[in-house]
Amino acid sequence: MKPAKLESAKFLENYRVDKPDRFRLASVDCADTGKVDKDAAGAMLADEVKRLSDLQERLYANHRWAVLIVLQGMDAAGKDSVVAHVMSGVNPQGCDVHSFKAPNAEELDHDFLWRTTTRLPARGRIGIFNRSYYEDVLVVRVHPELLERQNIPRTLVGKHIWEERFQDIRAFERHLARSGTLVLKFFLHVSKEEQRRRFLDRLEQPAKRWKFSMDDVNERKRWDDYMAVYQDMIRATSRPTAPWYVVPADHKWFTRLVVATAVIEALESLDLSYPKIGTAGLKEMRKVRAALQAEAPRKGR
Ligand code: ATP
Ligand code: MG
């Protein structure tokens, strides 16, 4: 049976933040499944993974555009699982995943956009940032001592620092868009209760214990602060050229479907035609083809 197709433009409007001034995180239902049932979603995702594979091949051949996918979310929101499932059909040669952890000494000696800039996708490629420069207006804002570690001249750290960083991020993303990088940002919005269940799962299942970290439990204690800074960040940085999608993340199968649909819609909006071969090139190819056909196949090869 062919999977039902989503009316993707309408479906995505529910998750893309098109009116950032009015955006309120508390209005988003983390358990929303967009009236899609789980079995249907599995079939739709399988179909989308195939489409994405075809689109990525075109993106690569076309060699003009790059795609940057930014994934943000609280611990256990499902960022890794999005990478694993949504990108499962994509040729690894055309895709790079970078996970950004706490910055090292060299990274702290540069401006906050430096380390991610060196990892931006080249034309024809899809780059995924698992966490990103947005950590510098999230975890760093929740823990001001991290800002202190960044060694910024004191006169430059004032009460407007977060608004200044938002400005810089907006300008940076606009610059990327103008240079041919499609920027898509996903906040995987998991509920506090679902995070509790996932942490318990990590503790109880031997195969998942390695994922458990005491730091995650400490960050969980600051839940409300995180929600406040996430909301502020989304309001300040969701723009038509680099929109945020706030994706309900209590059901992983639904999270994957929203992300895959958004990436496909964005890729389909580009004209990803294969490079055209001119008349002279075609003539040359006909000659080569005839020569190859004329070669007698050798025995035993
Ligand atoms: P998981 O969901 O499996 O826990 P993770 O992405 O949280 O994966 P971790 O190994 O926990 O991976 O490390 C990421 C940690 O690094 C996060 O707590 C994040 O806030 C922190 N981090 C990332 N960027 C920065 C930054 N610029 N400054 C300070 N901390 C940062
Ligand atoms: Mg973590």
Side-chain angles (χ1 to χ4, degrees):
M1 190 186 80
K2 218 175 151 15
K5 269 217 180 125
L6 287 168
E7 257 246 62
S8 57
K10 270 234 140 330
F11 174 72
L12 289 171
E13 273 174 20
N14 298 321
Y15 307 105
R16 192 176 49 230
V17 180
D18 291 329
K19 297 192 176 89
D21 296 344
R22 291 201 223 150
F23 175 71
R24 283 184 60 248
L25 200 49
S27 319
V28 180
D29 174 9
C30 301
D32 176 22
T33 54
K35 299 196 192 111
V36 180
D37 84 54
K38 192 177 173 182
D39 292 338
M44 285 181 212
L45 185 66
D47 188 45
E48 292 196 333
V49 165
K50 279 201 212 104
R51 279 163 72 198
L52 197 53
S53 160
D54 171 59
L55 285 162
Q56 185 250 340
E57 200 171 308
R58 287 169 175 275
L59 178 80
Y60 190 81
N62 180 271
H63 205 79
R64 299 256 161 192
W65 297 91
V67 178
L68 172 65
I69 298 172
V70 172
L71 299 176
Q72 287 288 156
M74 295 295 283
D75 288 300
K79 300 186 294 300
D80 293 337
S81 126
V82 162
V83 177
H85 287 82
V86 175
M87 302 318 255
S88 59
V90 165
N91 184 342
Q93 286 202 81
C95 180
D96 310 285
V97 185
H98 300 284
S99 297
F100 295 98
K101 315 274 178 193
N104 62 27
E106 185 190 19
E107 290 165 348
L108 285 170
D109 277 347
H110 290 268
D111 70 273
F112 80 97
L113 292 173
W114 179 77
R115 68 169 174 164
T116 43
T117 302
T118 61
R119 300 282 181 262
L120 286 170
R123 298 190 195 287
R125 304 184 70 84
I126 298 177
I128 301 177
F129 285 179
N130 184 344
R131 300 188 186 272
S132 63
Y133 43 87
Y134 279 104
E135 291 293 325
D136 286 88
V137 291
L138 294 167
V139 65
V140 179
R141 195 170 179 189
V142 171
H143 296 281
E145 67 278 13
L146 296 175
L147 185 61
E148 185 56 35
R149 289 186 57 209
Q150 296 189 347
N151 297 320
I152 304 165
R154 284 186 204 289
T155 50
L156 299 182
V157 183
K159 63 175 184 200
H160 299 301
I161 180 125
W162 308 115
E163 185 42 44
E164 286 164 7
R165 286 192 169 191
F166 291 146
Q167 272 177 20
D168 294 338
I169 289 174
R170 288 194 297 262
F172 174 65
E173 290 177 346
R174 198 176 52 222
H175 157 71
L176 291 180
R178 284 176 174 162
S179 311
T181 298
L182 209 68
V183 185
L184 299 167
K185 306 176 296 196
F186 299 93
F187 168 51
L188 310 191
H189 189 22
V190 72
S191 66
K192 197 173 179 191
E193 173 52 22
E194 179 59 21
Q195 192 201 50
R196 187 179 74 90
R197 278 194 284 266
R198 290 183 190 172
F199 280 178
L200 280 172
D201 224 37
R202 287 182 181 184
L203 287 169
E204 283 159 14
Q205 296 193 33
K208 291 190 178 173
R209 258 175 221 150
W210 64 273
K211 274 200 151 216
F212 183 79
S213 143
M214 281 315 288
D215 289 345
D216 297 354
V217 181
N218 290 331
E219 294 317 294
R220 177 179 167 79
K221 291 183 189 143
R222 306 291 303 270
W223 190 272
D224 293 347
D225 297 327
Y226 271 106
M227 292 306 111
V229 295
Y230 262 112
Q231 174 171 295
D232 216 28
M233 170 201 92
I234 290 165
R235 282 172 163 235
T237 59
S238 196
R239 294 294 180 271
T241 44
W244 274 106
Y245 290 83
V246 176
V247 188
D250 279 6
H251 299 284
K252 287 191 175 185
W253 57 267
F254 187 66
T255 311
R256 293 168 199 151
L257 188 68
V258 176
V259 176
T261 308
V263 175
I264 286 174
E265 199 209 31
L267 282 169
E268 282 180 343
S269 73
L270 307 175
D271 172 27
L272 295 177
S273 48
Y274 285 107
K276 297 234 170 3
I277 316 276
T279 328
L282 283 174
K283 205 170 150 195
E284 200 62 26
M285 281 183 175
R286 271 197 294 273
K287 266 199 231 157
V288 175
R289 183 161 166 248
L292 285 170
Q293 282 171 336
E295 258 182 40
R298 288 206 203 154
K299 280 208 175 113
R301 297 242 172 139

